[in-house]
Each structure stands twice: as C-alpha cells, then as structure tokens.
Amino acid sequence: MRTSLCDRFGIEHPIFGFTPSENVAAAISRAGGLGVLGCVRFNDPAELDAALSWMDDNTDGKPYGVDIVMPATIPKEGTPTDLAALIPAGHKDFVERTLLKLGVPPLSGDAATDAGVLGWLHSVARSHVDIALAHPISLIANALGSPPVDVIERAHEHDVPVAALAGKAEHAVRHVDKGVDLVVAQGYEAGGHTGEIASMVLVPEVVDAVGDRVPVLAAGGIGSGRQVLAALALGAAGAWMGSYWLTTAEYRLGAGPNTLQRALVQAGSSDTVRSRIYTGKPARLLKNRWTQAWAEPDAPEPLPMPLQNLLVGQAHQRMMDAGDPDVVAMPVGQIVGRMNEVRPVAEVMAGLLAELKEARARLGL
C-alpha cells in the first residue's frame, strides 16, 4: 500500500513510527517506514547529536525524523534549581511517601542527583531543533501542536517539513495556518498527550478541515494492518504509531524487557488512564499502583508543565530501576492490549503489511 506520502518522504510504506529509542527509530526506517526519534529525553544536546549521528550511520540511507516538545504557550523557564523552588513542599512529600508505600528504593550514585527530563523546557527544545537541523532529517514533528513560527521557518529553510499533532479539527486548522506541512490527528485512545475525541471521529473531521491543504496522518489505536487500512479509509494519508514499538526487541531504554516490557505485555486495553501526573498536561499512561495513588483523595493536584515532570522525573527513574512492573511509569495507548509479545521491528512491520494485504483482499480492494 503506497500513498502520496511514500513518494514525498522516500519511504516504502505510509507508516510513521514515533519512539524515544534511536535503535527502534532506525529499524523502522530500515523496514520501509519513517522512524521518528523523540528528543524530549535528551537533556544534553551532545547526547542527542550522538544519537542522530548513530542514526545517520545505521538507517542504510533511509529517511528519518525527530519529534520535539514545544507547547504553544511558552512555560515557566529557568534552570532545574530555579524551577525546583516553585514546586510546593507538599507535592515533594507526597511523592516520597508514595514511593515508600510502593517499596521503591532510592537511586544510588550519580543518578541520585539527576534533574529528571529537561526536554519539556522551551530552551532545551530549541536546542533539540538546532542539533536536529545539523543532520539530514526528513521531518520535525511537534508533540504539542504547531511549534513557534520561527521554528517552522527555520525548518523550511533547510527543506525539512514540519508536522504537528492535533486533537481537534480547529487545532489542525490553526496549525496549517501557521505553516505546518503535515497534521497528525491523534485520537483519545493514543498514548502520551492526547485530547478527548476518539480516532474514528477525529480523523475524518481533521481530513475534512485541512485535508485539501496538507496530508493527514491518523494516530491513536493503531496496532494492526486492519487499523492502518481503516485509517486510510477515513481519509488519512498514512498512520502514525507510537506505543506499538515499545515492545520491540530493539527497545533498550530504561530497564528494558525486565520491567517496562513485562508490564506492557501483560496489560490489556483497559489498563491505561488519562492523567496530568506525567507532565502536567493530559496524557494517557499505563494504569498501575503509581497512577492509582495520584487518584486518591489525599493526592495533590498535578502541577503545570514543566514543574510536574521535574517533580516526578526522578521518581520515574527510581520506579524503572526498581524492577517492579506494577509501578513502572510509562505513557502508552489503549493499543497496549495488542502488544502481547516482544518482537523485532522488522517482524512487526511485516505483520502489519501482511494483515493490511489480507484486509484489502477481504474487502475486494
């Protein structure tokens, strides 16, 4: 199955794969899709530069993209030390009490002084753009809508198209008006930051609103060839998939298969929750004892971005290192119910394409 996006991006299949792992992103590109590396976890620009250099050497010359996180409204800025002063003591006490109840040990060594993920800061996200544009990237996507106009203009100066995620049709229109080249219509089922409209409703609304101006990718609830075909039937030019790659063999972040992937493989489609506890903005997460603690009556209200992630960043690392799949903190979509085994990216892609072919044949297409 080829669409106009295949020719535009030089890919074999209209499947865009978002992942925080450069190993997974490179494998997606080698398998004929467009691997998109999430940059938010890179606090040090040099680390992102190294990761992209590795991708330059390990994608077999195939195209790849990057995903940044830049909210439309510039959040509070400053160093981690400055921002830490804005976090109420009661919130810090709640996190520590909860980790103690969950049996999560403290970090040791240098990790104990880790400031958490700083990619939510506007200045850090801009440094990600600077580094990315020094590499032969084929796409910049923004997880929180359209980036600032000057960022879009800089990307266009490098002949790099810009994509923006949208949870409503009116958001998509604003993104395109600002110069975005591609809209990702991300439905309620999706992992990470997401709106309140389900993909089956959202995708055709966004296609009707902007599809005559820019291509639309469908995101949220896609983890099979049948669902890819359904996205195309709704008018999308391709599929944007994120959660589904978390259980691939190439995923090597955090505690890997010992914790995160064990948690994901045993989860069902109802084992997620949409909450602001991860970043300060609504995001769908794996539901477990950690998320349930934040739903208790004595839990504080989550802080705005970027303070919430600074509050819980070290807690996330502690839970990963603890090795307990019942407390791991991870954004994931409802498609987790189909993520039942760990497989190589190439096998996952082959399965998607085979099922898509079977679905077309069943429909006589």
Side-chain angles (χ1 to χ4, degrees), residues 311-331:
L311 168 67
V312 299
Q314 192 176 99
H316 292 167
Q317 186 176 351
R318 287 172 61 177
M319 287 185 283
M320 282 290 190
D321 291 351
D324 182 356
D326 290 331
V327 298
V328 65
M330 189 66 192

Side-chain angles (χ1 to χ4, degrees), residues 221-257:
I222 301 177
S224 71
R226 286 174 290 169
Q227 288 160 327
V228 173
L229 185 60
L232 299 178
L234 293 174
W240 175 280
M241 299 171 59
S243 299
Y244 208 58
W245 311 106
L246 292 172
T247 51
T248 54
E250 291 86 349
Y251 190 89
R252 301 167 189 166
L253 299 179

Side-chain angles (χ1 to χ4, degrees), residues 43-104:
N43 291 351
D44 184 349
E47 293 180 357
L48 175 60
D49 189 40
L52 294 180
S53 293
W54 183 90
M55 289 189 66
D56 295 339
D57 296 334
N58 289 276
T59 51
D60 295 342
K62 302 292 182 65
Y64 70 88
V66 297
D67 179 274
I68 59 173
V69 177
M70 301 184 87
T73 301
I74 299 177
K76 289 184 174 68
E77 201 51 281
T79 67
T81 302
D82 295 336
L83 292 170
L86 301 176
I87 298 176
H91 281 69
K92 297 177 184 179
D93 292 342
F94 172 80
V95 169
E96 287 301 321
R97 289 198 312 272
T98 300
L99 293 175
L100 183 63
K101 289 179 183 177
L102 298 178
V104 177

Side-chain angles (χ1 to χ4, degrees), residues 184-217:
V184 181
Q186 177 151 293
Y188 177 76
E189 309 95 318
H193 297 115
T194 181
E196 298 180 348
I197 304 174
S199 297
M200 185 66 76
V201 176
L202 177 66
V203 173
E205 287 185 348
V206 172
V207 170
D208 290 347
V210 300
D212 59 341
R213 301 168 64 188
V214 300
V216 175
L217 290 173

Side-chain angles (χ1 to χ4, degrees), residues 18-22 36-42 242 246 251 253 330:
F18 164 78
T19 171
S21 165
E22 62 267 31
V36 181
L37 178 64
C39 297
V40 72
R41 72 179 179 87
F42 294 96
L246 292 172
Y251 190 89
L253 299 179
M330 189 66 192

